[in-house]
Amino acid sequence: MSLPSGYSIRPVKASDYKRYLEVLSVLTSVGDVSPSQFEKLLDHWAANSLIYFPRVIADAEDNVVATGMIVVEQKLIHGCSKVGHIEDIAVDKSQQGKSLGFLLISHLNSIGEKEGCYKIILDCSPKNTGFYEKCGYKDSGVQMAIRYD
Amino acid sequence: MSLPSGYSIRPVKASDYKRYLEVLSVLTSVGDVSPSQFEKLLDHWAANSLIYFPRVIADAEDNVVATGMIVVEQKLIHGCSKVGHIEDIAVDKSQQGKSLGFLLISHLNSIGEKEGCYKIILDCSPKNTGFYEKCGYKDSGVQMAIRYD
């Protein structure tokens, strides 16, 4: 399986502002984020580049069509090993059927493995477990959450 | 509910080496971590002090009896908000029945809320959901994992 011709997986950049927010809004509430806030956020992620790995899939015109992130957490357990957290996977609705989600997850998995993660985890709704199983993931427990919004 | 007399919740420190590893080993494999690796790890966490909040409960003799961490992730979604990840909660077996787990989770929740998290999440086995429900958490989905060890 491979990306459509001209498509690429790359880090997010400031000029992705509009499309990045549009694609992410498929997933959840993005809220009110200005271009300058977006740049500041990218600077913050870049300043912590061994922790945050924000990636996008861009089409042949370099427009963002999918977003995803792996957050690499430095732990003590397992001999000072690391755990990767896959976050905020979103694929533009017009791009379904091209396996972009699978290809992005595979890319983020390879970043996590290269960074020395002994495991990578993510949380999903029960209806999406089949997709993540195709990406090599297994059901490993329950996600619990407490909300302050 | 409050801590036993003389007990405190505080950040982990280098002199906790032996007890911190002992308490964490209740939870999972700690592996081979030397005192200098431990100090280096604490330096790394301290250098990223807006992300990693490693905390312990110490008894009246300042010995570690419980460990826990909240990792605060800076996101774009929800107006450039944050999500807290509760990690590596362990309570010494000799200290059961003192609500130390509950008190530590409550403390980590308050750190996450103060840091501006719109939600805090954690993963657990199905048998522990009742405990986390007492801490204010709700079942929110499935944890999926891929392992490289």
Side-chain angles (χ1 to χ4, degrees), chain B residues 36-91:
Chain B
S36 69
Q37 279 177 299
F38 183 67
E39 280 194 48
K40 202 175 150 194
L41 175 65
L42 297 199
D43 288 346
H44 176 78
W45 285 342
N48 296 282
S49 62
L50 295 178
I51 297 173
Y52 295 105
F53 296 81
R55 294 293 182 269
V56 300
I57 298 181
D59 67 12
E61 284 75 44
D62 203 34
N63 294 313
V64 173
V65 293
T67 72
M69 165 86 94
I70 181 166
V71 178
V72 174
E73 177 202 355
Q74 176 68 59
K75 288 196 176 276
L76 181 131
I77 59 172
H78 291 254
C80 282
S81 192
K82 296 172 182 171
V83 167
H85 301 256
I86 300 278
E87 300 286 335
D88 302 335
I89 301 294
V91 178

Side-chain angles (χ1 to χ4, degrees), chain A residues 26-100:
Chain A
V26 172
L27 186 69
T28 187
S29 162
V30 167
D32 196 26
V33 178
S34 69
S36 70
Q37 280 179 298
F38 184 66
E39 280 193 49
K40 201 176 151 195
L41 176 64
L42 297 199
D43 287 346
H44 176 77
W45 286 342
N48 296 284
S49 63
L50 294 178
I51 297 173
Y52 295 105
F53 296 81
R55 294 293 183 269
V56 301
I57 298 181
D59 67 12
E61 285 75 44
D62 204 33
N63 294 313
V64 173
V65 293
T67 72
M69 165 86 94
I70 181 167
V71 178
V72 174
E73 177 203 355
Q74 176 67 60
K75 286 194 176 279
L76 181 132
I77 59 173
H78 291 253
C80 281
S81 192
K82 297 172 183 171
V83 166
H85 301 256
I86 300 278
E87 300 287 334
D88 302 335
I89 300 295
V91 178
D92 192 282
K93 277 183 179 160
S94 72
Q95 301 280 329
Q96 308 288 333
K98 295 174 180 169
S99 299
L100 299 187

Side-chain angles (χ1 to χ4, degrees), chain A residues 82-130:
Chain A
K82 297 172 183 171
V83 166
H85 301 256
I86 300 278
E87 300 287 334
D88 302 335
I89 300 295
V91 178
D92 192 282
K93 277 183 179 160
S94 72
Q95 301 280 329
Q96 308 288 333
K98 295 174 180 169
S99 299
L100 299 187
F102 177 86
L103 292 162
L104 185 55
I105 295 285
S106 300
H107 183 84
L108 296 171
N109 285 350
S110 67
I111 290 174
E113 191 177 5
K114 192 177 155 199
E115 291 298 315
C117 295
Y118 79 91
K119 73 173 176 182
I120 302 175
I121 60 177
L122 59 85
D123 298 309
C124 68
S125 71
K127 71 181 185 338
N128 290 333
T129 56

Side-chain angles (χ1 to χ4, degrees), chain A residues 2-14:
Chain A
S2 57
L3 288 171
S5 174
Y7 282 47
S8 62
I9 302 184
R10 60 164 174 77
V12 61
K13 58 190 181 189

